[in-house]
Amino acid sequence: AGSYALDRPSVEVDPSGAFVKGVATPGAAVSVRVNGAAVGTVEADQQNGNYSFTFGKPLANGESVQVSAEKGL
């Protein structure tokens, strides 16, 4: 049963740079990358697909964030 890509999740970075949030396919595994480096994965809510990920340290100006979603964790 491998994983497969889902619709691209929405992404919004908090103005403080402390976290990112958005909406993905419900139950999807959302992978978060900063400047191309993986920093973590969270599960989107089973009901509405909301997700949030708190960074270990706030983002600095100019850092880019990418998210992708795959079927379930």
Side-chain angles (χ1 to χ4, degrees), residues 20-42:
V20 64
K21 66 181 180 176
V23 179
T25 301
V30 179
S31 298
V32 181
R33 300 173 81 80
V34 175
N35 296 330
V39 294
T41 302
V42 294

Side-chain angles (χ1 to χ4, degrees), residues 11 13 17-21 30-42 51-60 63-68:
V11 60
V13 178
F19 67 91
V20 64
K21 66 181 180 176
V30 179
S31 298
V32 181
R33 300 173 81 80
V34 175
N35 296 330
V39 294
T41 302
V42 294
Y51 73 88
S52 67
F53 178 84
T54 301
F55 298 106
K57 63 177 186 141
L59 297 175
E63 290 187 293
S64 66
V65 176
Q66 304 83 36
V67 296
S68 61

Side-chain angles (χ1 to χ4, degrees), residues 1-9 25-31 68-73:
S3 62
Y4 58 92
L6 301 174
D7 291 338
R8 183 177 302 265
T25 301
V30 179
S31 298
S68 61
E70 293 187 350
K71 189 69 177 168
L73 284 174

